[in-house]
């Protein structure tokens, strides 16, 4: 505490408040620019889990508010009488999509279709998504890129087909189907543009592109074209869509990280692809192609430039055991948020058609902006020594 009489000089609360608002506005503009959207369509959240839950909460509530009247008429009529909202997703989504949807199913608040991915290319097939649509379908949510395999999903193609379908549905009085993508894994590793993707909602996660551990949500035409309903109620921040005192330093960091992605994304992508490809070459050279199974490499399928999911074949070489023997390498056997799965193979890999024994040996390595080929050499040598120790114990 102090006063001007003590010789201290303090900025006025009004000036400080304006500065904080300017910082938040600049961050919002930087995030919008990173994804090719408009600043007014960006809402800050605590992270990807909140963003994904907010999307699901909003579409379900909008369906009930919009179509509840059909069931309250004296003589109920219409194609949605007695229907609950229906949502479509796929079997390899992050838990922050899968678990809220499973909860809605258990509570009988919504119906959900989990579309399996192809065992040939690791992607969800556009035709399978369209085949899952029902009269009460109000949301399709498919991740932009998978966090374990790096496989990129055909979001643009799904969007084009849904837009055409929505025109027909409007004539029949059926609800518009919104398209959401969780872009957490793709941001900072490849260009992400909401216009190219054609999505209505997109989840942003800061720590995935070297930002702070907060997030944001893109909503096309927020409140006008695309409905959003708050899960929280309070002070009215974020235009009442996500109240709570803004975490200005974290938002500033998120905005700066987004600015760096906008400026440098092509360079980041090229570097990571070069190092990741070198990693896979070294693995195949050191362990022999017959022993290495590249779980994230599907013929004709695009994948992120940083992700290498592989298995070293052998009865004693479960991923967890190999990592325990490594002296240098820090990695995971799958998604970091599923680290309590012990020896169970990744459900994502099994869904993609990876055999059980191969999936059980899986390791997921991710390269970053500062990873070098020299780092790769150290890691491959560490892996080779770990495998030798395990096989020597057998």
């Amino acid at each position: 505490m102090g006063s001007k009489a003590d010789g201290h000089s303090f900025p006025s609360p009004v000036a400080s408040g304006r500065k904080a608002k300017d910082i938040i506005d600049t961050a919002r503009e930087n995030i919008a620019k990173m994804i090719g959207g408009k600043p007014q369509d960006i809402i800050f959240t605590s992270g990807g889990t909140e963003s994904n839950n907010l999307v699901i909460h909003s579409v379900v509530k909008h369906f009930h508010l919009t179509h509840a009247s059909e069931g309250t008429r004296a003589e109920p009529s219409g194609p949605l009488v007695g229907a609950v909202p229906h949502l479509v997703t796929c079997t390899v989504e992050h838990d922050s999509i899968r678990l809220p949807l499973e909860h809605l199913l258990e509570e009988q608040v919504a119906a959900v279709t989990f579309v399996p991915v192809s065992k040939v290319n690791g992607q969800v097939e556009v035709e399978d998504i369209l085949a899952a649509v029902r009269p009460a379908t109000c949301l399709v949510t498919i991740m932009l890129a998978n966090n374990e395999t790096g496989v990129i999903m055909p979001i643009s193609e799904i969007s084009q087909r849904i837009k055409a379908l929505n025109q027909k549905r409007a004539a029949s009085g059926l609800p518009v189907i919104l398209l959401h993508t969780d872009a957490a894994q793709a941001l900072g590793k490849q260009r992400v543009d909401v216009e190219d993707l054609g999505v209505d909602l997109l989840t942003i996660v800061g720590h995935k592109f070297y930002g702070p551990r907060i997030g944001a949500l893109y909503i096309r035409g927020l409140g006008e074209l695309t409905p959003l309903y708050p899960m929280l109620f309070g002070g009215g921040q974020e235009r009442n869509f996500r109240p709570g005192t803004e975490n200005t330093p974290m938002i500033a960091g998120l905005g700066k990280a987004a600015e760096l992605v906008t400026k440098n994304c092509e360079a980041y992508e090229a570097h990571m692809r070069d190092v990741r490809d070198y990693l896979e070459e070294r693995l195949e050279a050191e362990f022999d192609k017959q022993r290495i199974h590249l779980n994230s490499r599907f013929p004709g399928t695009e994948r992120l430039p940083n992700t290498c999911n592989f298995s070293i074949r052998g009865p004693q070489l479960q991923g967890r055991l190999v990592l325990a023997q490594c002296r240098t390498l820090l990695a995971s056997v799958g998604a970091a948020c599923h680290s309590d799965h012990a020896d169970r193979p990744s459900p994502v890999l099994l869904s993609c058609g990876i055999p059980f024994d191969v999936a059980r040996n899986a390791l997921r390595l991710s390269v970053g902006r500062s990873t070098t080929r020299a780092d790769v050499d150290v890691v491959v040598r560490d892996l080779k020594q770990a495998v030798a120790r395990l096989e020597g114990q057998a």
Side-chain angles (χ1 to χ4, degrees):
M1 298 291 289
S3 68
K4 289 183 180 179
D6 299 326
H8 293 92
S9 177
F10 300 101
S12 74
V14 173
S16 297
R18 284 180 184 150
K19 185 176 181 181
K21 182 181 183 302
D22 289 345
I23 289 170
I24 292 170
D25 288 347
T26 299
R28 202 184 308 274
E29 289 167 7
N30 286 338
I31 292 162
K33 189 174 181 181
M34 176 179 68
I35 62 168
K38 298 176 181 177
Q40 62 266 33
D41 290 342
I42 301 293
I43 293 292
F44 292 112
T45 67
S46 62
T49 294
E50 183 185 342
S51 293
N52 287 342
N53 276 263
L54 183 55
V55 169
I56 293 167
H57 162 82
S58 293
V59 295
V60 169
K61 182 161 186 176
H62 185 69
F63 182 95
H64 285 298
L65 289 174
T66 305
H67 300 288
S69 59
E70 291 191 8
T72 58
R73 298 169 186 156
E75 296 182 10
S77 62
L80 299 177
V81 173
V84 295
H86 175 242
L87 300 87
V88 178
T89 189
C90 75
T91 54
V92 298
E93 293 292 319
H94 189 269
D95 278 357
S96 61
I97 289 289
R98 181 180 64 84
L99 292 177
L101 293 179
E102 288 180 354
H103 176 73
L104 292 177
L105 269 175
E106 290 169 7
E107 297 291 318
Q108 299 183 337
V109 175
V112 183
T113 300
F114 292 91
V115 177
V117 295
S118 166
K119 296 185 185 302
V120 175
N121 60 26
Q123 292 179 315
V124 66
E125 300 284 5
V126 178
E127 294 300 331
D128 292 343
I129 294 293
L130 271 292
V133 169
R134 306 175 187 175
T137 303
C138 54
L139 179 71
V140 170
T141 174
I142 302 292
M143 61 186 2
L144 183 50
N146 184 262
N147 49 314
E148 293 191 39
T149 63
V151 166
I152 297 169
M153 301 295 181
I155 300 299
S156 295
E157 292 86 344
I158 294 171
S159 168
Q160 292 166 12
R161 297 291 296 278
I162 288 178
K163 282 180 181 175
L165 182 60
N166 274 335
Q167 293 178 348
K168 297 177 183 177
R169 288 169 66 88
S172 304
L174 297 177
V176 168
I177 300 172
L178 297 176
L179 178 59
H180 165 250
T181 191
D182 180 350
Q185 205 66 24
L187 287 164
K189 296 151 191 136
Q190 65 169 36
R191 282 289 172 198
V192 173
D193 189 293
V194 292
E195 296 304 322
D196 292 342
L197 294 173
V199 294
D200 302 295
L201 304 117
L202 181 141
T203 292
I204 298 161
V205 180
H207 66 271
K208 296 293 187 178
F209 53 97
Y210 291 70
R213 289 181 178 270
I214 61 166
L217 179 64
Y218 163 81
I219 311 99
R220 183 183 298 276
L222 173 58
E224 297 176 5
L225 294 176
T226 308
L228 193 72
Y229 295 89
M231 293 191 295
L232 306 173
F233 297 89
Q237 294 84 356
E238 293 300 285
R239 289 161 285 169
N240 277 316
F241 291 111
R242 203 286 182 182
T245 303
E246 299 95 338
N247 191 337
T248 306
M250 299 278 269
I251 290 173
L254 186 66
K256 186 62 181 178
E259 181 185 352
L260 291 172
V261 168
T262 302
K263 289 179 180 177
N264 304 306
C265 191
E266 284 77 12
Y268 295 155
E269 181 177 3
H271 171 77
M272 286 187 279
R273 190 179 305 281
D274 174 75
V275 176
R276 190 275 312 279
D277 290 351
Y278 178 70
L279 168 61
E280 293 181 346
E281 291 169 12
R282 296 293 301 131
L283 287 169
E284 291 182 328
E286 289 295 326
F287 288 98
D288 180 25
K289 278 192 175 184
Q290 301 306 313
R291 292 201 71 187
I292 291 290
H293 188 277
L294 297 173
N295 303 321
S296 53
R297 188 188 285 179
F298 295 90
T301 300
E302 278 190 82
R303 56 181 174 144
L304 295 176
N306 72 314
T307 306
C308 171
N309 193 311
F310 68 98
S311 297
I312 307 171
R313 297 179 190 268
Q316 307 297 324
L317 303 181
Q318 287 88 359
R320 180 181 61 85
L321 299 178
V322 173
L323 285 180
Q325 290 290 330
C326 288
R327 307 285 168 82
T328 304
L329 173 63
L330 294 175
S332 68
V333 295
C337 38
H338 302 158
S339 57
D340 60 344
H341 283 189
D343 280 337
R344 285 178 288 162
S346 159
V348 168
L349 295 183
L350 296 176
S351 295
C352 294
I354 306 299
F356 184 94
D357 287 345
V358 175
R360 190 170 56 179
N361 288 16
L363 294 169
R364 185 190 66 166
L365 303 188
S366 298
V367 304
R369 298 174 188 175
S370 60
T371 310
T372 65
R373 288 187 170 211
D375 294 330
V376 168
D377 292 336
V378 170
V379 162
V380 172
R381 186 163 56 249
D382 193 19
L383 281 168
K384 196 166 185 184
Q385 292 168 354
V387 168
R389 282 191 287 272
L390 286 171
E391 293 184 327
Q393 295 169 6

